[in-house]
Amino acid sequence: PWFSSPLQVTTHTMSDLIKAVRCHRFAGLDDMGKPVPTPQPLRTVLALDDMPTPECEEGHVLVRTHYAGVQYPDALQAQGLYQHKPGLPYVPGMDAAGTVLEVGVGVERVAVGDRVIAQMQLGGLAEVVKVPAESVWKAPAGMELSKLANLGRNFFPAYHSLKNLGEV
């Protein structure tokens, strides 16, 4: 399936189109927006599309995605059953790991060329993602980006539950 291997990244200039996985309809809802007994396979609602490269804005970072995380919330969202239902079509993906291509005005935490981990509500399954600077962290030295792509939705909730809620 499309989600079992890292997103293949090709070299583009910033004015080119990029590839992105887009969800064109919800797999778990009928035409009236009601849940269906058996959702359709996600491959029937997702497509690899060409899209314009996002523009970097103040306080944002453009990241070239080397690896994108795919977790249970992404599947629920593509079924239309997640707590946040985006407008269609949309690019799924809440976590990515890659390198910084461009930084917007006011961004000092990261620089062009830095290896980073990025979290977002949407858009991680694209070759280039635009992320608010506060949702981008430098990748630890010596760690492979492939090991960091699923960090956000797996590590951060567990850490929050143990440290903040459980006071461990």
Side-chain angles (χ1 to χ4, degrees):
W2 64 271
F3 53 83
S4 64
S5 62
L7 195 62
Q8 295 296 312
V9 178
T10 56
T11 303
H12 292 285
T13 64
M14 293 305 288
S15 62
D16 287 343
L17 296 176
I18 60 168
K19 295 285 188 190
V21 173
R22 286 203 305 178
C23 182
H24 291 272
R25 58 187 169 81
F26 296 116
L29 303 179
D30 64 19
D31 292 337
M32 301 300 291
K34 304 275 191 232
V36 296
T38 305
Q40 297 175 9
L42 294 181
R43 70 179 170 272
T44 66
V45 301
L46 301 173
L48 186 61
D49 295 339
D50 289 323
M51 296 182 57
T53 301
E55 298 281 329
C56 195
E57 298 174 353
E58 181 176 345
H60 286 76
V61 176
L62 288 188
V63 176
R64 174 164 310 283
T65 304
H66 292 267
Y67 296 91
V70 177
Q71 296 92 12
Y72 184 61
D74 296 306
L76 280 178
Q77 200 169 55
Q79 291 176 13
L81 304 175
Y82 191 59
Q83 58 204 17
H84 172 253
K85 193 182 319 176
L88 295 170
Y90 77 95
V91 177
M94 300 178 186
D95 296 295
T99 54
V100 174
L101 289 175
E102 189 176 338
V103 296
V105 173
V107 175
E108 297 178 4
R109 295 171 39 143
V110 295
V112 172
D114 283 350
R115 299 169 57 241
V116 295
I117 305 161
Q119 274 196 304
M120 61 226 61
Q121 290 299 314
L122 300 169
L125 294 180
E127 288 181 303
V128 177
V129 295
K130 179 176 76 173
V131 186
E134 65 268 7
S135 298
V136 176
W137 298 270
K138 287 184 182 180
M143 287 202 72
E144 297 176 33
L145 290 175
S146 62
K147 305 239 186 280
L148 300 172
N150 282 306
L151 189 65
R153 294 298 182 268
N154 293 316
F155 172 79
F156 292 136
Y159 178 83
H160 174 73
S161 295
L162 290 170
K163 181 76 173 155
N164 298 337
L165 301 177
E167 298 178 359
V168 174

